[in-house]
Amino acid sequence: GEEVAQTPKHLVRGEGQKAKLYCAPIKGHSYVFWYQQVLKNEFKFLISFQNENVFDETGMPKERFSAKCLPNSPCSLEIQATKLEDSAVYFCASSQGLANTEAFFGQGTRLTVV
Amino acid sequence: AQRVTQPEKLLSVFKGAPVELKCNYSYSGSPELFWYVQYSRQRLQLLLRHISRESIKGFTADLNKGETSFHLKKPFAQEEDSAMYYCALRGAGGTSYGKLTFGQGTILTVHP
């Protein structure tokens, strides 16, 4: 597609429940990035993929968070056993490369953990 | 470690007035610097980047390596410029490669 598509737009989960967020990158883009924005503050980098392979996962919390980008499927970010502090807007971005290219962002998924 | 600082959380100006959104960064190499804008209920979109040295919607930004700044300027603000603006840095290699580091954002309000 021409835009990065993120679903759902809003997600409400009770503490301890699982949350799964999806991102369809722009066709032809090799790189996918996930960012977390808590309370309209800074964007925190979580993880990036080069096609199906994890490229950089230095921002991913060691527990409960996982992500995948499988061929012919939207990328996903999964949070097991959600906590209140996971409430945030999760943005996905895609780009053709890592340098001298534009990163295009999705509209974000607002996760609320109650 | 790379860091981006936008000292102003809120900035208000009147239509037609000049506007400057400040951005300072720290990075040990040669970074790529960007300004992203988010209009109400829209997705984050690229406004401009330092390597292209272009002016978009009347905005310009000059990379000052001596002062490690990348301030965004517009000589005559318009009401439609009201939005959230993020300064971002992308590292050129190593563990920073590819990922963007964002500032805290500045909400610009242009009054009629």
Side-chain angles (χ1 to χ4, degrees):
Chain A
E2 295 290 320
E3 290 184 332
V4 176
Q6 287 188 251
T7 55
K9 276 193 177 158
H10 302 279
L11 189 58
V12 180
R13 287 288 177 267
E15 262 196 295
Q17 290 186 315
K18 183 175 77 174
K20 196 162 185 178
L21 292 62
Y22 297 92
C23 167
I26 292 173
K27 203 171 181 180
H29 284 191
S30 304
Y31 292 88
V32 170
F33 304 82
W34 284 98
Y35 295 87
Q36 178 196 54
Q37 188 188 34
V38 177
L39 291 176
K40 292 209 168 182
N41 287 329
E42 292 177 45
F43 290 76
K44 178 187 176 230
F45 168 78
L46 294 175
I47 189 169
S48 61
F49 287 84
Q50 180 182 16
N51 299 313
E52 309 91 69
N53 306 306
V54 174
F55 184 78
D56 179 354
E57 58 182 347
T58 52
M60 280 288 265
K62 301 241 184 300
E63 297 172 352
R64 303 185 299 108
F65 281 66
S66 62
K68 289 180 195 173
C69 278
L70 300 174
N72 304 313
S73 296
C75 296
S76 63
L77 176 68
E78 191 167 314
I79 309 172
Q80 302 287 343
T82 52
K83 296 183 178 182
L84 294 176
E85 66 250 32
D86 298 332
S87 295
V89 181
Y90 291 83
F91 288 95
C92 172
S94 73
S95 65
Q96 288 182 315
L98 290 179
N100 300 319
T101 59
E102 182 177 345
F104 292 83
F105 281 78
Q107 288 203 298
T109 293
R110 180 178 297 280
L111 171 66
T112 304
V113 181
V114 297
Chain B
Q2 55 197 55
R3 188 175 180 88
V4 177
T5 304
Q6 291 178 248
E8 303 135 330
K9 203 154 184 144
L10 300 166
L11 187 61
S12 285
V13 299
F14 285 99
K15 178 182 168 182
V19 63
E20 181 180 52
L21 288 80
K22 292 187 167 42
C23 172
N24 288 90
Y25 68 91
S26 66
Y27 183 67
S28 53
S30 288
E32 287 184 82
L33 273 298
F34 305 85
W35 276 98
Y36 279 84
V37 61
Q38 189 172 29
Y39 300 103
S40 179
R41 296 194 188 90
Q42 293 187 26
R43 66 186 65 209
L44 202 63
Q45 53 188 285
L46 181 66
L47 182 62
L48 53 78
R49 49 185 160 173
H50 88 273
I51 56 172
S52 58
R53 301 182 71 85
E54 55 192 346
S55 170
I56 305 290
K57 299 186 180 184
F59 284 97
T60 58
D62 289 317
L63 178 59
N64 185 324
K65 290 187 178 179
E67 294 181 1
T68 59
S69 67
F70 188 57
H71 303 326
L72 183 69
K73 299 176 187 178
K74 184 167 182 175
F76 308 103
Q78 303 299 314
E79 287 177 70
E80 54 266 29
D81 296 329
S82 296
M84 174 74 109
Y85 291 81
Y86 291 97
C87 182
L89 176 156
R90 183 160 65 194
T95 55
S96 314
Y97 201 30
K99 68 185 180 196
L100 290 164
T101 297
F102 287 86
Q104 302 92 322
T106 298
I107 299 172
L108 173 64
T109 304
V110 181
H111 299 284

